[in-house]
Amino acid sequence: MHRCNKCDIEFRKKKTLEQHIQYIHKSVSPSIKKILILGGGFAGINILQDILKEFQNNVNVEISLVNQDNFFLFTPMLPEVASGMIHPSDISVPIRTFCKRAKFYQAVVSTIDLEQRLVTITRTFDGKVHALEYDYLIFALGSKTNFFGNKNLEKHSFTIKTIEDAIGIRNHAINMLENAAQTGDPDLQQKLMTFTVVGGGFAGVETIGAINHFVRDAAASTYPNINKEKINMILISSEKRILPEINKKLALSAMRYLKKVSVKIITATKAIDADEDYVLLDNGEKIPCTTLIWAGGVSVDPVISEIKCEHDSSGKIKVDKYLKVACFTNVFALGDCASIIDKTTGKPYPPTAQHAMHQSKVVSNNLKVAINGKGSLVSFSYSSKGWMASIGKRTALVSIFGKNVEGILAWFIWRTYYLIQMPTFEKRVKVATDWLVDLFFKRDLTCVGKIKKKTLSKIDVKDEMPTLKELLFPDL
Ligand SMILES: Cc1cc2nc3c(=O)[nH]c(=O)nc-3n(C[C@H](O)[C@H](O)[C@H](O)COP(=O)(O)OP(=O)(O)OC[C@H]3O[C@@H](n4cnc5c(N)ncnc54)[C@H](O)[C@@H]3O)c2cc1C
């Protein structure tokens, strides 16, 4: 590999590096096309990998990616991290692993101006605001947890969206076990040992399944003082059934299994209020509990919903069949932050990693067509080949090509599929090792406490990026 240290990128061929230095650092070529990808999740990383292959040796194309964390997160395995089965870093891959000749900015996207073709970003480590220009822009910023404006629910819930969320849930569950083991008060013990998850979709069901397994096994093996009768696991769904994304038969099997392993399922009910030690339902029931995990819905970040373009009622960006934003032919949106209508159902495609990855192929193709000026645009149309969810101890549900599989075989298929989907060989080995260890040993109940974080406010990290002021008013 041949590096340009100034840009912090590398090229496979020496000749390409020489061309890059000539075009970018000596006499800036007017034909340079700047591609800016916002978001380093399933959608963003898949596009990055695809276009890097195409433009590896084309110095007229500059590729940049912005993400708030310096890693890609494999979200379907978050419940396994929250229940201590997998180590957090094993489902996180540093974004620079994928970058090679693309620039990476670890920063929060703060504003987006489609008219001016300008994005401002706030650098994560020192809070500096910078401006990035682009010729082609890709929105892949995902979604955020939606509390529907309920501040109490937001304040007293854990969410299950980020790696910090999963670590937080695991540590809290261990703390609750420690607390419950030290009280002789049966009511308090019950409150400490009641775990409520709101949300009957994949995230909620997989989370209650994983936590149920973890807490019951830990209590049985390590906490003899905890009365096992006092452990309550509750799943609340606002829908009439859980897992509305999958076929009814399989969803009913999931309900049967969860009930068998003592998870109480409350359907057609909403959580409307909460405090530190209870959650209140809209049927008037008040559940005393010290753990509330919210997987009750997603929406988009204001940085997306406030962009001046067409949005759906939830704030997602509306795109056409080529995944382009209306009126801005150089701007694409995909994944959880985009509203893409499925022609066969008339409804938006569901926000899943599976869809984000298929959409990324369409965007990559259409971007290449736009830049190369040849080839044909491809429209997005996808019908899911199947679904799978892990719902407890060595148990999963799989629906593939119209066939339903449950139990240990489904669990094996689930694991194999997700292992293949992990983006690097190293992480596959690590996850497989975690799973193997879990078959033979008890879960680790070490609870790592608060972690000190140092911010650098006095150190000035100089770089090539202009500030917004320099970009807009170069003569001042
Ligand atoms: C617990 C859980 C389990 C799931 N299980 C499954 C499953 O089994 N199967 C399935 O298909 N899907 C599953 N999903 C859904 C799946 O994770 C999402 O649909 C998928 O991640 C969407 O991809 P994306 O690229 O649009 O968004 P993401 O993967 O969320 O990526 C968005 C990226 O943008 C970054 N970002 C956001 N805002 C900013 C900002 N302002 N500035 C900078 N960076 C920003 C984020 O940090 C993130 O890296 C699950 C989700 C969760 C939470």
Side-chain angles (χ1 to χ4, degrees), residues 246-278:
I246 65 174
N247 64 62
K248 202 170 174 182
K249 198 168 163 225
L250 210 55
L252 287 174
S253 302
M255 280 180 85
R256 267 198 305 276
Y257 170 79
L258 288 172
K259 281 181 185 162
K260 199 173 99 190
V261 292
S262 306
V263 173
K264 182 177 174 189
I265 301 175
I266 303 174
T267 53
T269 305
K270 287 183 179 156
I272 52 168
D273 197 11
D275 205 331
E276 200 177 284
D277 60 350
Y278 73 83

PDB file of all heavy atoms in Angstrom, residues 246-278:
ATOM      1  N   ILE A 246     -42.863 -10.906  11.403  1.00  0.00           N
ATOM      2  CA  ILE A 246     -42.772 -12.274  10.865  1.00  0.00           C
ATOM      3  C   ILE A 246     -44.150 -12.924  10.820  1.00  0.00           C
ATOM      4  O   ILE A 246     -45.121 -12.382  11.348  1.00  0.00           O
ATOM      5  CB  ILE A 246     -41.781 -13.150  11.676  1.00  0.00           C
ATOM      6  CG1 ILE A 246     -42.281 -13.367  13.110  1.00  0.00           C
ATOM      7  CG2 ILE A 246     -40.402 -12.550  11.678  1.00  0.00           C
ATOM      8  CD1 ILE A 246     -41.429 -14.338  13.899  1.00  0.00           C
ATOM      9  N   ASN A 247     -44.231 -14.112  10.191  1.00  0.00           N
ATOM     10  CA  ASN A 247     -45.555 -14.716  10.036  1.00  0.00           C
ATOM     11  C   ASN A 247     -46.146 -15.110  11.396  1.00  0.00           C
ATOM     12  O   ASN A 247     -45.430 -15.366  12.365  1.00  0.00           O
ATOM     13  CB  ASN A 247     -45.521 -15.890   9.044  1.00  0.00           C
ATOM     14  CG  ASN A 247     -44.664 -17.041   9.529  1.00  0.00           C
ATOM     15  OD1 ASN A 247     -44.941 -17.633  10.563  1.00  0.00           O
ATOM     16  ND2 ASN A 247     -43.614 -17.351   8.783  1.00  0.00           N
ATOM     17  N   LYS A 248     -47.498 -15.155  11.401  1.00  0.00           N
ATOM     18  CA  LYS A 248     -48.223 -15.307  12.661  1.00  0.00           C
ATOM     19  C   LYS A 248     -47.872 -16.618  13.373  1.00  0.00           C
ATOM     20  O   LYS A 248     -47.711 -16.657  14.594  1.00  0.00           O
ATOM     21  CB  LYS A 248     -49.727 -15.262  12.364  1.00  0.00           C
ATOM     22  CG  LYS A 248     -50.559 -14.891  13.548  1.00  0.00           C
ATOM     23  CD  LYS A 248     -51.978 -14.627  13.126  1.00  0.00           C
ATOM     24  CE  LYS A 248     -52.837 -14.403  14.353  1.00  0.00           C
ATOM     25  NZ  LYS A 248     -54.223 -14.188  13.991  1.00  0.00           N
ATOM     26  N   LYS A 249     -47.720 -17.683  12.576  1.00  0.00           N
ATOM     27  CA  LYS A 249     -47.478 -19.001  13.165  1.00  0.00           C
ATOM     28  C   LYS A 249     -46.174 -18.989  13.990  1.00  0.00           C
ATOM     29  O   LYS A 249     -46.129 -19.466  15.127  1.00  0.00           O
ATOM     30  CB  LYS A 249     -47.381 -20.030  12.028  1.00  0.00           C
ATOM     31  CG  LYS A 249     -47.556 -21.436  12.491  1.00  0.00           C
ATOM     32  CD  LYS A 249     -47.737 -22.388  11.326  1.00  0.00           C
ATOM     33  CE  LYS A 249     -47.482 -23.795  11.831  1.00  0.00           C
ATOM     34  NZ  LYS A 249     -46.658 -24.565  10.941  1.00  0.00           N
ATOM     35  N   LEU A 250     -45.148 -18.395  13.379  1.00  0.00           N
ATOM     36  CA  LEU A 250     -43.851 -18.365  14.052  1.00  0.00           C
ATOM     37  C   LEU A 250     -43.892 -17.437  15.277  1.00  0.00           C
ATOM     38  O   LEU A 250     -43.309 -17.733  16.323  1.00  0.00           O
ATOM     39  CB  LEU A 250     -42.779 -17.889  13.060  1.00  0.00           C
ATOM     40  CG  LEU A 250     -41.370 -18.412  13.263  1.00  0.00           C
ATOM     41  CD1 LEU A 250     -41.340 -19.925  13.306  1.00  0.00           C
ATOM     42  CD2 LEU A 250     -40.450 -17.912  12.158  1.00  0.00           C
ATOM     43  N   ALA A 251     -44.617 -16.325  15.124  1.00  0.00           N
ATOM     44  CA  ALA A 251     -44.734 -15.387  16.250  1.00  0.00           C
ATOM     45  C   ALA A 251     -45.458 -16.059  17.423  1.00  0.00           C
ATOM     46  O   ALA A 251     -45.085 -15.870  18.589  1.00  0.00           O
ATOM     47  CB  ALA A 251     -45.476 -14.139  15.809  1.00  0.00           C
ATOM     48  N   LEU A 252     -46.465 -16.881  17.107  1.00  0.00           N
ATOM     49  CA  LEU A 252     -47.176 -17.585  18.184  1.00  0.00           C
ATOM     50  C   LEU A 252     -46.265 -18.610  18.858  1.00  0.00           C
ATOM     51  O   LEU A 252     -46.311 -18.804  20.069  1.00  0.00           O
ATOM     52  CB  LEU A 252     -48.434 -18.266  17.639  1.00  0.00           C
ATOM     53  CG  LEU A 252     -49.578 -17.297  17.299  1.00  0.00           C
ATOM     54  CD1 LEU A 252     -50.730 -18.032  16.628  1.00  0.00           C
ATOM     55  CD2 LEU A 252     -50.069 -16.561  18.546  1.00  0.00           C
ATOM     56  N   SER A 253     -45.398 -19.240  18.063  1.00  0.00           N
ATOM     57  CA  SER A 253     -44.426 -20.179  18.653  1.00  0.00           C
ATOM     58  C   SER A 253     -43.502 -19.439  19.609  1.00  0.00           C
ATOM     59  O   SER A 253     -43.153 -19.949  20.677  1.00  0.00           O
ATOM     60  CB  SER A 253     -43.544 -20.816  17.589  1.00  0.00           C
ATOM     61  OG  SER A 253     -44.273 -21.474  16.679  1.00  0.00           O
ATOM     62  N   ALA A 254     -43.096 -18.228  19.190  1.00  0.00           N
ATOM     63  CA  ALA A 254     -42.212 -17.430  20.053  1.00  0.00           C
ATOM     64  C   ALA A 254     -42.916 -17.127  21.370  1.00  0.00           C
ATOM     65  O   ALA A 254     -42.327 -17.243  22.454  1.00  0.00           O
ATOM     66  CB  ALA A 254     -41.826 -16.138  19.352  1.00  0.00           C
ATOM     67  N   MET A 255     -44.206 -16.771  21.276  1.00  0.00           N
ATOM     68  CA  MET A 255     -44.966 -16.463  22.506  1.00  0.00           C
ATOM     69  C   MET A 255     -45.047 -17.692  23.402  1.00  0.00           C
ATOM     70  O   MET A 255     -44.856 -17.607  24.610  1.00  0.00           O
ATOM     71  CB  MET A 255     -46.375 -15.984  22.147  1.00  0.00           C
ATOM     72  CG  MET A 255     -46.398 -14.533  21.728  1.00  0.00           C
ATOM     73  SD  MET A 255     -48.034 -13.960  21.309  1.00  0.00           S
ATOM     74  CE  MET A 255     -48.690 -13.513  22.884  1.00  0.00           C
ATOM     75  N   ARG A 256     -45.316 -18.833  22.776  1.00  0.00           N
ATOM     76  CA  ARG A 256     -45.423 -20.076  23.568  1.00  0.00           C
ATOM     77  C   ARG A 256     -44.102 -20.375  24.274  1.00  0.00           C
ATOM     78  O   ARG A 256     -44.065 -20.689  25.454  1.00  0.00           O
ATOM     79  CB  ARG A 256     -45.798 -21.253  22.649  1.00  0.00           C
ATOM     80  CG  ARG A 256     -47.292 -21.504  22.561  1.00  0.00           C
ATOM     81  CD  ARG A 256     -47.589 -22.891  22.020  1.00  0.00           C
ATOM     82  NE  ARG A 256     -46.948 -23.136  20.744  1.00  0.00           N
ATOM     83  CZ  ARG A 256     -47.446 -22.772  19.563  1.00  0.00           C
ATOM     84  NH1 ARG A 256     -48.612 -22.165  19.506  1.00  0.00           N
ATOM     85  NH2 ARG A 256     -46.810 -23.023  18.447  1.00  0.00           N
ATOM     86  N   TYR A 257     -43.001 -20.232  23.517  1.00  0.00           N
ATOM     87  CA  TYR A 257     -41.694 -20.544  24.112  1.00  0.00           C
ATOM     88  C   TYR A 257     -41.400 -19.595  25.281  1.00  0.00           C
ATOM     89  O   TYR A 257     -40.998 -20.024  26.362  1.00  0.00           O
ATOM     90  CB  TYR A 257     -40.573 -20.449  23.061  1.00  0.00           C
ATOM     91  CG  TYR A 257     -39.211 -20.528  23.711  1.00  0.00           C
ATOM     92  CD1 TYR A 257     -38.681 -21.760  24.095  1.00  0.00           C
ATOM     93  CD2 TYR A 257     -38.489 -19.374  24.025  1.00  0.00           C
ATOM     94  CE1 TYR A 257     -37.462 -21.838  24.752  1.00  0.00           C
ATOM     95  CE2 TYR A 257     -37.269 -19.440  24.683  1.00  0.00           C
ATOM     96  CZ  TYR A 257     -36.763 -20.676  25.044  1.00  0.00           C
ATOM     97  OH  TYR A 257     -35.564 -20.748  25.709  1.00  0.00           O
ATOM     98  N   LEU A 258     -41.631 -18.300  25.047  1.00  0.00           N
ATOM     99  CA  LEU A 258     -41.304 -17.321  26.099  1.00  0.00           C
ATOM    100  C   LEU A 258     -42.139 -17.578  27.356  1.00  0.00           C
ATOM    101  O   LEU A 258     -41.650 -17.475  28.482  1.00  0.00           O
ATOM    102  CB  LEU A 258     -41.501 -15.892  25.580  1.00  0.00           C
ATOM    103  CG  LEU A 258     -40.451 -15.429  24.562  1.00  0.00           C
ATOM    104  CD1 LEU A 258     -40.823 -14.097  23.946  1.00  0.00           C
ATOM    105  CD2 LEU A 258     -39.057 -15.320  25.202  1.00  0.00           C
ATOM    106  N   LYS A 259     -43.406 -17.939  27.150  1.00  0.00           N
ATOM    107  CA  LYS A 259     -44.253 -18.238  28.322  1.00  0.00           C
ATOM    108  C   LYS A 259     -43.711 -19.462  29.060  1.00  0.00           C
ATOM    109  O   LYS A 259     -43.689 -19.503  30.282  1.00  0.00           O
ATOM    110  CB  LYS A 259     -45.701 -18.462  27.884  1.00  0.00           C
ATOM    111  CG  LYS A 259     -46.409 -17.138  27.617  1.00  0.00           C
ATOM    112  CD  LYS A 259     -47.847 -17.344  27.204  1.00  0.00           C
ATOM    113  CE  LYS A 259     -48.464 -16.005  26.825  1.00  0.00           C
ATOM    114  NZ  LYS A 259     -49.681 -16.144  26.035  1.00  0.00           N
ATOM    115  N   LYS A 260     -43.265 -20.444  28.278  1.00  0.00           N
ATOM    116  CA  LYS A 260     -42.734 -21.677  28.886  1.00  0.00           C
ATOM    117  C   LYS A 260     -41.517 -21.376  29.773  1.00  0.00           C
ATOM    118  O   LYS A 260     -41.323 -22.000  30.807  1.00  0.00           O
ATOM    119  CB  LYS A 260     -42.344 -22.656  27.766  1.00  0.00           C
ATOM    120  CG  LYS A 260     -42.220 -24.093  28.238  1.00  0.00           C
ATOM    121  CD  LYS A 260     -42.008 -25.036  27.083  1.00  0.00           C
ATOM    122  CE  LYS A 260     -40.540 -25.366  26.970  1.00  0.00           C
ATOM    123  NZ  LYS A 260     -40.169 -26.075  25.776  1.00  0.00           N
ATOM    124  N   VAL A 261     -40.711 -20.397  29.347  1.00  0.00           N
ATOM    125  CA  VAL A 261     -39.528 -20.073  30.162  1.00  0.00           C
ATOM    126  C   VAL A 261     -39.829 -18.903  31.119  1.00  0.00           C
ATOM    127  O   VAL A 261     -38.944 -18.150  31.514  1.00  0.00           O
ATOM    128  CB  VAL A 261     -38.277 -19.782  29.290  1.00  0.00           C
ATOM    129  CG1 VAL A 261     -37.800 -21.035  28.591  1.00  0.00           C
ATOM    130  CG2 VAL A 261     -38.527 -18.661  28.281  1.00  0.00           C
ATOM    131  N   SER A 262     -41.119 -18.766  31.461  1.00  0.00           N
ATOM    132  CA  SER A 262     -41.588 -17.836  32.500  1.00  0.00           C
ATOM    133  C   SER A 262     -41.471 -16.355  32.150  1.00  0.00           C
ATOM    134  O   SER A 262     -41.258 -15.523  33.036  1.00  0.00           O
ATOM    135  CB  SER A 262     -40.876 -18.105  33.834  1.00  0.00           C
ATOM    136  OG  SER A 262     -41.018 -19.438  34.192  1.00  0.00           O
ATOM    137  N   VAL A 263     -41.585 -16.021  30.879  1.00  0.00           N
ATOM    138  CA  VAL A 263     -41.674 -14.596  30.514  1.00  0.00           C
ATOM    139  C   VAL A 263     -43.159 -14.275  30.393  1.00  0.00           C
ATOM    140  O   VAL A 263     -43.898 -14.973  29.695  1.00  0.00           O
ATOM    141  CB  VAL A 263     -40.965 -14.303  29.170  1.00  0.00           C
ATOM    142  CG1 VAL A 263     -41.216 -12.856  28.732  1.00  0.00           C
ATOM    143  CG2 VAL A 263     -39.473 -14.575  29.276  1.00  0.00           C
ATOM    144  N   LYS A 264     -43.589 -13.224  31.103  1.00  0.00           N
ATOM    145  CA  LYS A 264     -44.995 -12.819  31.010  1.00  0.00           C
ATOM    146  C   LYS A 264     -45.124 -11.854  29.827  1.00  0.00           C
ATOM    147  O   LYS A 264     -44.359 -10.882  29.731  1.00  0.00           O
ATOM    148  CB  LYS A 264     -45.399 -12.130  32.321  1.00  0.00           C
ATOM    149  CG  LYS A 264     -46.844 -11.712  32.362  1.00  0.00           C
ATOM    150  CD  LYS A 264     -47.163 -11.110  33.729  1.00  0.00           C
ATOM    151  CE  LYS A 264     -48.567 -10.543  33.752  1.00  0.00           C
ATOM    152  NZ  LYS A 264     -48.831  -9.783  34.964  1.00  0.00           N
ATOM    153  N   ILE A 265     -46.078 -12.125  28.948  1.00  0.00           N
ATOM    154  CA  ILE A 265     -46.237 -11.250  27.776  1.00  0.00           C
ATOM    155  C   ILE A 265     -47.562 -10.501  27.892  1.00  0.00           C
ATOM    156  O   ILE A 265     -48.617 -11.116  28.055  1.00  0.00           O
ATOM    157  CB  ILE A 265     -46.187 -12.069  26.470  1.00  0.00           C
ATOM    158  CG1 ILE A 265     -44.848 -12.812  26.383  1.00  0.00           C
ATOM    159  CG2 ILE A 265     -46.364 -11.167  25.255  1.00  0.00           C
ATOM    160  CD1 ILE A 265     -44.725 -13.745  25.203  1.00  0.00           C
ATOM    161  N   ILE A 266     -47.472  -9.186  27.830  1.00  0.00           N
ATOM    162  CA  ILE A 266     -48.690  -8.367  27.894  1.00  0.00           C
ATOM    163  C   ILE A 266     -48.835  -7.694  26.529  1.00  0.00           C
ATOM    164  O   ILE A 266     -47.975  -6.901  26.127  1.00  0.00           O
ATOM    165  CB  ILE A 266     -48.586  -7.301  29.015  1.00  0.00           C
ATOM    166  CG1 ILE A 266     -48.306  -7.981  30.360  1.00  0.00           C
ATOM    167  CG2 ILE A 266     -49.847  -6.453  29.078  1.00  0.00           C
ATOM    168  CD1 ILE A 266     -48.047  -7.018  31.514  1.00  0.00           C
ATOM    169  N   THR A 267     -49.897  -8.029  25.801  1.00  0.00           N
ATOM    170  CA  THR A 267     -50.065  -7.462  24.455  1.00  0.00           C
ATOM    171  C   THR A 267     -51.146  -6.379  24.447  1.00  0.00           C
ATOM    172  O   THR A 267     -51.887  -6.217  25.417  1.00  0.00           O
ATOM    173  CB  THR A 267     -50.445  -8.565  23.442  1.00  0.00           C
ATOM    174  OG1 THR A 267     -51.575  -9.253  23.963  1.00  0.00           O
ATOM    175  CG2 THR A 267     -49.319  -9.525  23.192  1.00  0.00           C
ATOM    176  N   ALA A 268     -51.223  -5.665  23.333  1.00  0.00           N
ATOM    177  CA  ALA A 268     -52.217  -4.604  23.116  1.00  0.00           C
ATOM    178  C   ALA A 268     -52.246  -3.602  24.272  1.00  0.00           C
ATOM    179  O   ALA A 268     -53.292  -3.104  24.667  1.00  0.00           O
ATOM    180  CB  ALA A 268     -53.604  -5.218  22.907  1.00  0.00           C
ATOM    181  N   THR A 269     -51.085  -3.337  24.821  1.00  0.00           N
ATOM    182  CA  THR A 269     -50.982  -2.457  25.993  1.00  0.00           C
ATOM    183  C   THR A 269     -49.762  -1.548  25.824  1.00  0.00           C
ATOM    184  O   THR A 269     -48.734  -1.980  25.305  1.00  0.00           O
ATOM    185  CB  THR A 269     -50.802  -3.317  27.275  1.00  0.00           C
ATOM    186  OG1 THR A 269     -51.882  -4.239  27.324  1.00  0.00           O
ATOM    187  CG2 THR A 269     -50.793  -2.480  28.531  1.00  0.00           C
ATOM    188  N   LYS A 270     -49.920  -0.308  26.300  1.00  0.00           N
ATOM    189  CA  LYS A 270     -48.792   0.633  26.179  1.00  0.00           C
ATOM    190  C   LYS A 270     -48.263   1.022  27.550  1.00  0.00           C
ATOM    191  O   LYS A 270     -49.051   1.145  28.496  1.00  0.00           O
ATOM    192  CB  LYS A 270     -49.252   1.904  25.473  1.00  0.00           C
ATOM    193  CG  LYS A 270     -49.482   1.704  23.998  1.00  0.00           C
ATOM    194  CD  LYS A 270     -49.868   3.004  23.349  1.00  0.00           C
ATOM    195  CE  LYS A 270     -50.073   2.774  21.865  1.00  0.00           C
ATOM    196  NZ  LYS A 270     -50.932   3.721  21.254  1.00  0.00           N
ATOM    197  N   ALA A 271     -46.971   1.246  27.630  1.00  0.00           N
ATOM    198  CA  ALA A 271     -46.388   1.824  28.847  1.00  0.00           C
ATOM    199  C   ALA A 271     -46.581   3.329  28.722  1.00  0.00           C
ATOM    200  O   ALA A 271     -46.276   3.908  27.675  1.00  0.00           O
ATOM    201  CB  ALA A 271     -44.915   1.481  28.933  1.00  0.00           C
ATOM    202  N   ILE A 272     -47.124   3.967  29.769  1.00  0.00           N
ATOM    203  CA  ILE A 272     -47.400   5.407  29.639  1.00  0.00           C
ATOM    204  C   ILE A 272     -46.625   6.263  30.635  1.00  0.00           C
ATOM    205  O   ILE A 272     -46.539   7.471  30.479  1.00  0.00           O
ATOM    206  CB  ILE A 272     -48.919   5.712  29.762  1.00  0.00           C
ATOM    207  CG1 ILE A 272     -49.505   5.089  31.031  1.00  0.00           C
ATOM    208  CG2 ILE A 272     -49.665   5.259  28.518  1.00  0.00           C
ATOM    209  CD1 ILE A 272     -50.900   5.598  31.359  1.00  0.00           C
ATOM    210  N   ASP A 273     -46.083   5.645  31.670  1.00  0.00           N
ATOM    211  CA  ASP A 273     -45.332   6.440  32.636  1.00  0.00           C
ATOM    212  C   ASP A 273     -44.358   5.519  33.372  1.00  0.00           C
ATOM    213  O   ASP A 273     -44.534   4.292  33.372  1.00  0.00           O
ATOM    214  CB  ASP A 273     -46.292   7.101  33.642  1.00  0.00           C
ATOM    215  CG  ASP A 273     -45.633   8.243  34.406  1.00  0.00           C
ATOM    216  OD1 ASP A 273     -44.513   8.654  34.009  1.00  0.00           O
ATOM    217  OD2 ASP A 273     -46.224   8.725  35.395  1.00  0.00           O
ATOM    218  N   ALA A 274     -43.359   6.130  33.972  1.00  0.00           N
ATOM    219  CA  ALA A 274     -42.398   5.327  34.738  1.00  0.00           C
ATOM    220  C   ALA A 274     -41.713   6.203  35.759  1.00  0.00           C
ATOM    221  O   ALA A 274     -41.675   7.428  35.632  1.00  0.00           O
ATOM    222  CB  ALA A 274     -41.360   4.725  33.800  1.00  0.00           C
ATOM    223  N   ASP A 275     -41.219   5.561  36.785  1.00  0.00           N
ATOM    224  CA  ASP A 275     -40.322   6.221  37.730  1.00  0.00           C
ATOM    225  C   ASP A 275     -39.190   5.241  37.969  1.00  0.00           C
ATOM    226  O   ASP A 275     -39.131   4.181  37.346  1.00  0.00           O
ATOM    227  CB  ASP A 275     -41.072   6.592  39.020  1.00  0.00           C
ATOM    228  CG  ASP A 275     -40.403   7.776  39.728  1.00  0.00           C
ATOM    229  OD1 ASP A 275     -39.170   7.911  39.579  1.00  0.00           O
ATOM    230  OD2 ASP A 275     -41.086   8.546  40.409  1.00  0.00           O
ATOM    231  N   GLU A 276     -38.318   5.592  38.907  1.00  0.00           N
ATOM    232  CA  GLU A 276     -37.159   4.753  39.194  1.00  0.00           C
ATOM    233  C   GLU A 276     -37.552   3.295  39.472  1.00  0.00           C
ATOM    234  O   GLU A 276     -36.834   2.372  39.119  1.00  0.00           O
ATOM    235  CB  GLU A 276     -36.530   5.361  40.441  1.00  0.00           C
ATOM    236  CG  GLU A 276     -35.144   5.038  40.703  1.00  0.00           C
ATOM    237  CD  GLU A 276     -34.702   5.810  41.936  1.00  0.00           C
ATOM    238  OE1 GLU A 276     -34.468   7.016  41.803  1.00  0.00           O
ATOM    239  OE2 GLU A 276     -34.625   5.196  43.021  1.00  0.00           O
ATOM    240  N   ASP A 277     -38.720   3.099  40.112  1.00  0.00           N
ATOM    241  CA  ASP A 277     -39.039   1.750  40.576  1.00  0.00           C
ATOM    242  C   ASP A 277     -40.413   1.249  40.133  1.00  0.00           C
ATOM    243  O   ASP A 277     -40.992   0.391  40.779  1.00  0.00           O
ATOM    244  CB  ASP A 277     -38.917   1.674  42.103  1.00  0.00           C
ATOM    245  CG  ASP A 277     -39.848   2.638  42.795  1.00  0.00           C
ATOM    246  OD1 ASP A 277     -40.446   3.485  42.093  1.00  0.00           O
ATOM    247  OD2 ASP A 277     -39.986   2.552  44.020  1.00  0.00           O
ATOM    248  N   TYR A 278     -40.943   1.804  39.089  1.00  0.00           N
ATOM    249  CA  TYR A 278     -42.173   1.227  38.536  1.00  0.00           C
ATOM    250  C   TYR A 278     -42.366   1.649  37.089  1.00  0.00           C
ATOM    251  O   TYR A 278     -41.752   2.611  36.617  1.00  0.00           O
ATOM    252  CB  TYR A 278     -43.415   1.610  39.358  1.00  0.00           C
ATOM    253  CG  TYR A 278     -43.856   3.055  39.209  1.00  0.00           C
ATOM    254  CD1 TYR A 278     -44.649   3.462  38.129  1.00  0.00           C
ATOM    255  CD2 TYR A 278     -43.490   4.011  40.157  1.00  0.00           C
ATOM    256  CE1 TYR A 278     -45.041   4.787  37.992  1.00  0.00           C
ATOM    257  CE2 TYR A 278     -43.877   5.334  40.019  1.00  0.00           C
ATOM    258  CZ  TYR A 278     -44.658   5.718  38.934  1.00  0.00           C
ATOM    259  OH  TYR A 278     -45.037   7.021  38.786  1.00  0.00           O
TER     260      TYR A 278
END
